[in-house]
Amino acid sequence: MSEEAPEAARFLALVAAAQERDSRLTSIQAGLLVAAELGIARDSRSFARMLGIAHSLVLRDLNALAEREGVLEIVKRDPRTMRVHYALTSTTSP
């Protein structure tokens, strides 16, 4: 078994746990929170590339999370690449 398989399984388990704690989270939103917590991805494009999903879907869910009070904050936006850098707020734990 490759080393990536256990890491992927751990990531997916953490995503599922985050969704159990907050049923309003989509899979992408929970993934964004877990990725930020683990330091795997802190920007939208890296997260989209890591999971092989469309950047536009990540941006939609990232913006929805940013609108929720106390979940995460947008740190920087790159208008040329549409990349959005984000960070967990101090009260967030996936």
Side-chain angles (χ1 to χ4, degrees):
M1 184 177 233
S2 76
E3 185 157 326
E4 290 180 17
E7 288 298 316
R10 178 175 177 249
F11 177 78
L12 293 175
L14 291 171
V15 168
Q19 284 186 287
E20 286 178 18
R21 285 190 301 277
D22 186 348
S23 62
R24 298 174 297 170
L25 292 174
T26 67
S27 297
I28 293 174
Q29 290 171 342
L32 285 162
L33 295 175
V34 170
E37 178 73 20
L38 297 177
I40 296 170
R42 297 187 192 279
D43 70 84
S44 58
R45 191 152 313 264
S46 296
F47 181 81
R49 191 176 33 235
M50 178 182 77
L51 293 179
I53 57 179
H55 187 229
S56 59
L57 296 176
V58 173
L59 288 174
R60 180 191 66 199
D61 278 354
L62 181 58
N63 286 317
L65 271 177
E67 290 175 6
R68 288 175 54 183
E69 186 75 25
V71 178
L72 63 77
E73 62 183 331
I74 303 297
V75 176
K76 178 178 138 184
R77 293 181 187 266
D78 184 336
R80 185 182 61 81
T81 64
M82 301 294 292
R83 184 180 304 246
V84 176
H85 297 265
Y86 63 94
L88 297 176
T89 61
S90 59
T91 60
T92 303
S93 73

